[in-house]
Amino acid sequence: MVVNDFGAVGHAVAQVPSSDFIHLCGPDTPLPSEGITTICGPGTGLGVAQLLRRKAGYQVLETEGGHMDFAPLDGIEDALLKRLRKTFTRVSAERVVAGPGIVAIYETLAALEGRAVPSHDDKTIWTEAIDGTDSIALAALDRFCLALGAVAGDLALAQGAKAVVIAGGLGFRIKDRLIRSGFDQRFVAKGRFQGMMAAMPVKLITHPQPGLFGAAAAFAQEHTQ
């Protein structure tokens, strides 16, 4: 059988024990036994899937939600969108909330501060951000977390979710920063739906190989029914 990367992660979310999740924000309750859980995560792209649980079992729905339009929420993100439009006619969420997106965030912040825009690749910026050795890289990481919170909230609204799981290797690398960042504030800042968003548990999957585990789970589900 064939399953895409975040389809596999969706199966992992359905099957791994609660000990393979850490709490990010919202109520610290288990994932719902029925209804939709939104799954998204930054890596080389922005993976998106949804897990639909019913009494009779579960179904994973693979999506291309990472390609929805990026929606700036303040002046800095307006500047980021303007910068990205010089390269891309249409700017998707994935251009910001994925590993390579840190470059545009970094360059935008440097330009806004009137500094010469250095030419760094995304791996260098991520290393400097996580190590805390470059102040602009660290600020770019915080901006990345804000954008991820906003996008995750948008996806949850679009999918009618009762919970959200953040996945992906990059999500795991920045888990400590996510908890301390404004991720949670951006996640719930959805106007009249703020109360509903604040009541939604958001977790991060910590299983070391959710893709491989989920692929095996998908195969087992397909061949044991």
Side-chain angles (χ1 to χ4, degrees):
M1 64 179 297
V2 178
V3 58
N4 82 5
D5 55 352
F6 260 72
V9 172
H11 283 274
V13 169
Q15 297 278 8
V16 299
S18 59
S19 58
D20 281 324
F21 297 94
I22 61 171
H23 179 68
L24 290 180
C25 64
D28 191 359
T29 56
L31 295 175
S33 57
E34 291 190 50
I36 294 171
T37 296
T38 290
I39 304 159
C40 64
T44 54
L46 176 61
V48 180
Q50 56 182 311
L51 168 64
L52 173 59
R53 289 187 185 271
R54 296 190 176 98
K55 291 181 180 178
Y58 76 87
Q59 182 179 6
V60 174
L61 305 175
E62 302 168 357
T63 83
E64 294 296 341
H67 296 281
M68 66 184 185
D69 293 334
F70 172 65
L73 294 174
D74 59 22
I76 293 176
E77 291 181 355
D78 286 340
L80 173 60
L81 179 61
K82 184 177 180 180
R83 188 178 197 88
L84 285 166
R85 276 186 177 152
K86 294 177 181 178
T87 304
F88 308 104
T89 303
R90 175 184 174 273
V91 179
S92 67
E94 184 175 80
R95 299 297 184 188
V96 177
V97 189
I102 198 75
V103 174
I105 299 173
Y106 182 90
E107 291 175 350
T108 300
L109 293 177
L112 288 172
E113 291 190 9
R115 301 192 193 184
V117 179
S119 179
H120 289 330
D121 61 21
D122 57 305
K123 291 182 180 179
T124 299
I125 297 171
W126 280 115
T127 299
E128 293 175 343
I130 292 171
D131 292 346
T133 55
D134 183 308
S135 61
I136 299 180
L138 190 59
L141 172 55
D142 284 336
R143 273 280 149 188
F144 184 93
C145 292
L146 291 176
L148 178 58
V151 169
D154 287 345
L155 290 167
L157 282 175
Q159 295 183 354
K162 293 183 177 179
V164 172
V165 171
I166 303 298
L170 183 54
F172 183 75
R173 284 184 68 195
I174 64 173
K175 65 182 188 303
D176 295 334
R177 198 72 188 180
L178 275 176
I179 294 171
R180 300 195 305 269
S181 72
F183 171 94
D184 57 338
Q185 298 170 17
R186 280 288 189 89
F187 180 82
V188 303
K190 303 299 178 188
R192 70 194 76 177
F193 290 100
Q194 183 166 332
M196 183 182 79
M197 301 302 290
M200 194 178 298
V202 181
K203 300 181 182 295
L204 185 143
I205 187 169
T206 59
H207 190 284
Q209 292 289 347
L212 290 177
F213 182 98
F219 182 86
Q221 183 192 58
E222 179 76 13
H223 293 281
T224 57
Q225 292 180 349

